[in-house]
Amino acid sequence: MDWLWTFPHMDDNHLRMLRSTIDDSFRTFTRAWGDPIQALFEPLRILLVWMEWIMLNTPWPVIILAVAALAWAASRRWPIVIGSVVTLLLIGYFDMWEDTMRTISMIIVCTLISLVVGIPVGIAMARSRRVRSVISPILDVMQTLPSFVYLIPVVMLMGIGRVPGLIAVVIYAIPPIIRLTDLGIRLVNKEVLEASDAFGSSSWQKLVNVQLPLAMPTIMTGINQTIMMALAMVVIASMIGVQGLGQPVLRAINNQYFTMGIFNGLAIVGIAIIFDRISQAFGQRLQRHKELGHA
């Protein structure tokens, strides 16, 4: 009756052989293709270094004024502008400015890559049921696979540094923009699409002039969620050499530095709130504009 308590499983020797075969195959692939893959992602490293240089070498008053202007342009609400400025001033006052700029540069690059890759994939999913049936299971795996697991193949292929961390963050953060771009385009009113067809719009004109503008509030929600997930991955990415606010948090965990961990964790929260409020306010403005346009 032992079988009732011991689940039947593969023979230990066969399981060990299977794992060894997969590991050896991946190591062989890494040795053969590791350098070409690193060369392929070299432009991303250059972009990240360039963005980090800009953020670190721009005077802090200019950064704060730029964030205030962006918050006002997106929201037209003084509380969001004042809250963003006060948050950045507090971050700088507690000596976390440089790490914050490194983190923001990483988030900006990750978001740009996610937009460049995610929006076209979302459009393809919205326009083809077959593409959606292929991409959706991949997105399910990306969203449910533990974030630490992303680091294993990336580090084995490319080692430790900025680019592996960047790739891991993008993989973790890109599903929302893909899904919500697909959803936003599919939710566009069919009568509006029929009207554009009646006026002789081509497929490209219908996409650019009708579907994307009407889906923009939903796409903005996807951008918001992508930014939030990228920030959530910052601490984990610091384990493979990504500089920024994640590294002090990691040091605080390893050495039980309570204050360092709390301060840098709150700085990450502050950045997340700034990005969240600005992007949400912009999405709400787009929604109101769309409703007024329909009216």
Side-chain angles (χ1 to χ4, degrees):
M1 298 290 290
D2 289 345
W3 63 273
L4 288 175
W5 288 271
T6 304
F7 198 91
H9 62 85
M10 182 184 295
D11 180 73
D12 290 341
N13 290 329
H14 291 165
L15 183 59
R16 193 179 304 110
M17 187 178 300
L18 176 63
R19 291 173 175 171
S20 176
T21 301
I22 295 173
D23 289 343
D24 291 342
S25 300
F26 192 76
R27 290 192 187 98
T28 301
F29 176 82
T30 300
R31 286 192 291 268
W33 295 96
D35 291 339
I37 290 175
Q38 287 188 21
L40 179 66
F41 287 104
E42 180 65 14
L44 294 184
R45 188 191 68 82
I46 295 172
L47 176 61
L48 184 56
V49 170
W50 177 75
M51 183 62 68
E52 188 175 301
W53 183 88
I54 289 177
M55 297 300 295
L56 289 173
N57 289 277
T58 302
W60 66 266
V62 176
I63 296 288
I64 291 179
L65 286 174
V67 172
L70 179 63
W72 174 254
S75 66
R76 297 292 198 274
R77 293 168 59 188
W78 284 110
I80 293 178
V81 176
I82 295 171
S84 300
V85 170
V86 170
T87 300
L88 290 177
L89 289 175
L90 288 173
I91 286 173
Y93 185 73
F94 286 101
D95 196 25
M96 295 179 289
W97 186 261
E98 290 191 4
D99 286 337
T100 300
M101 293 303 102
R102 290 190 176 95
T103 298
I104 290 177
S105 64
M106 167 69 77
I107 298 305
I108 290 173
V109 173
C110 289
T111 303
L112 288 175
I113 295 171
S114 298
L115 294 180
V116 170
V117 176
I119 290 179
V121 174
I123 292 171
M125 288 177 64
R127 305 185 75 174
S128 172
R129 188 171 298 176
R130 183 173 298 175
V131 173
R132 193 183 317 135
S133 66
V134 172
I135 300 296
S136 291
I138 298 174
L139 296 178
D140 292 338
V141 172
M142 291 169 67
Q143 290 187 289
T144 55
L145 198 67
S147 52
F148 284 99
V149 177
Y150 294 132
L151 304 181
I152 298 171
V154 172
V155 170
M156 290 183 68
L157 276 172
M158 307 184 66
I160 292 175
R162 290 187 179 95
V163 176
L166 178 69
I167 295 171
V169 172
V170 169
I171 292 173
Y172 183 76
I174 200 172
I177 187 61
I178 296 177
R179 287 191 185 277
L180 288 171
T181 300
D182 168 38
L183 179 64
I185 292 176
R186 286 192 290 112
L187 289 180
V188 172
N189 195 315
K190 288 184 172 26
E191 293 179 358
V192 177
L193 298 179
E194 291 172 359
S196 66
D197 288 333
F199 280 101
S201 298
S202 65
S203 178
W204 174 255
Q205 289 173 328
K206 184 165 63 175
L207 173 66
V208 173
N209 298 324
V210 179
Q211 290 176 304
L212 285 178
L214 294 178
M216 191 55 66
T218 307
I219 294 174
M220 283 302 304
T221 303
I223 294 173
N224 173 275
Q225 292 303 303
T226 292
I227 294 171
M228 295 301 103
M229 294 186 72
L231 278 166
M233 191 70 174
V234 164
V235 177
I236 297 173
S238 68
M239 297 176 63
I240 57 173
V242 174
Q243 295 180 333
L245 292 169
Q247 285 196 339
V249 174
L250 187 62
R251 287 199 303 270
I253 293 171
N254 292 332
N255 298 287
Q256 298 182 4
Y257 296 151
F258 177 77
T259 306
M260 178 187 290
I262 290 297
F263 280 11
N264 285 272
L266 289 175
I268 294 173
V269 172
I271 297 171
I273 291 173
I274 290 173
F275 279 119
D276 177 69
R277 295 298 182 269
I278 292 175
S279 58
Q280 277 196 3
F282 186 61
Q284 289 169 1
R285 286 190 62 216
L286 287 176
Q287 184 69 39
R288 289 194 297 269
H289 178 74
K290 184 182 79 169
E291 291 171 355
L292 290 174
H294 280 302

